[in-house]
Amino acid sequence: MEPDLISNHQSTSELCKEGDIRMVVEEALSSLPYEGVEVTTPSGAKYQGKKFMKGGTCGVSIMRSGEAMETGLRDCCRSIRIGKILIQTDTETQEAKVFYAKFPADITNRKVLLLYPIMSSGNSVAMAIEVLKQHGVKVADVLLVSLFCTPFGLEHVTKEYPNLKILTTEIHPITPNHFGQKYFGTE
C-alpha cells in the first residue's frame, strides 16, 4: 500500500484544482499588455523587466464558483482589486438574473479578468458582461478566465460578444456543474 503523501488534509483532486486555477490565471496575466522597465536588484545589478501598462488590471468573480479562482489570482497579484457579481439562473427558464454587483470605482480604466470556472450555457457570463458594460467597461478590455467551457456556451458568448477574449483549459460538452460546492466542501 502506498503511503499518504498529502499531510495537509487536501485531497489530490483539490490540489489539481488549485494547480489548474493557478495555471490559467498565470496564462491570463501573461496575455495582458505590458511595457519594458529597468529594475535595480537589492545587490545593485540592473535587470530588464516588464510591468503592466498604465490603467491596471482587476478581477471580477461571478459568485459563487468564480470566488474559487480568487486565491490563484491573489497568489500572483497580492494587491489586485477584485469585484463581484452574483448571478443566479432560473432552473426552469434558464434566464440569468443579477442580485449583486460591486466593482472597483475605476473599473472603466482597467483590464478585467472575469473569473468563472465552469461555463455551461453562457447565460451567466453574458449577463456579467452586460453588467460590466453598464459600468462603462469595454468588452475588448475583458478576458474571461475559465477552467471548463461547453461548445454551446462558447458559441453563445462569442456570437453575442465577438471582441471578448476567452481563456480556458478545456472545451467539452459535459462540464462538472457542481464545481463550487465541491471546491468549497458544501455539497
Side-chain angles (χ1 to χ4, degrees), residues 77-96:
C77 302
R78 294 215 183 275
S79 62
I80 194 164
R81 293 180 179 174
I82 296 179
K84 297 184 182 284
I85 302 175
L86 174 59
I87 298 172
Q88 292 188 339
T89 303
D90 185 295
T91 54
E92 292 180 20
T93 65
Q94 295 302 307
E95 287 187 35

Side-chain angles (χ1 to χ4, degrees), residues 158-174:
T158 56
K159 187 183 241 182
E160 200 166 334
Y161 307 101
N163 293 333
L164 177 68
K165 295 177 241 37
I166 300 172
L167 181 63
T168 188
T169 61
E170 185 173 350
I171 301 169
H172 194 276
I174 301 170

Side-chain angles (χ1 to χ4, degrees), residues 42 146 149 151:
S146 181
C149 296

Side-chain angles (χ1 to χ4, degrees), residues 94-110:
Q94 295 302 307
E95 287 187 35
K97 183 177 178 185
V98 178
F99 285 87
Y100 175 82
K102 180 77 172 166
F103 307 118
D106 59 349
I107 194 166
T108 57
N109 301 325
R110 296 177 176 271

Side-chain angles (χ1 to χ4, degrees), residues 12-83:
T12 303
S13 63
E14 286 171 329
L15 291 173
C16 289
K17 286 181 239 169
E18 290 294 332
D20 290 346
I21 290 169
R22 177 72 182 253
M23 178 186 67
V24 76
V25 164
E26 287 176 359
E27 186 65 29
L29 291 170
S30 73
S31 70
L32 295 172
Y34 56 86
E35 59 189 359
V37 63
E38 185 174 83
V39 178
T40 304
T41 67
S43 65
K46 303 287 185 196
Y47 175 78
Q48 290 301 314
K50 297 175 183 176
K51 72 174 185 174
F52 292 119
M53 299 284 273
K54 291 252 187 234
T57 303
C58 71
V60 172
S61 63
I62 300 176
M63 295 164 62
R64 168 161 174 236
S65 63
E67 291 175 313
M69 301 182 83
E70 289 179 14
T71 301
L73 182 56
R74 287 215 190 273
D75 286 347
C76 296
C77 302
R78 294 215 183 275
S79 62
I80 194 164
R81 293 180 179 174
I82 296 179

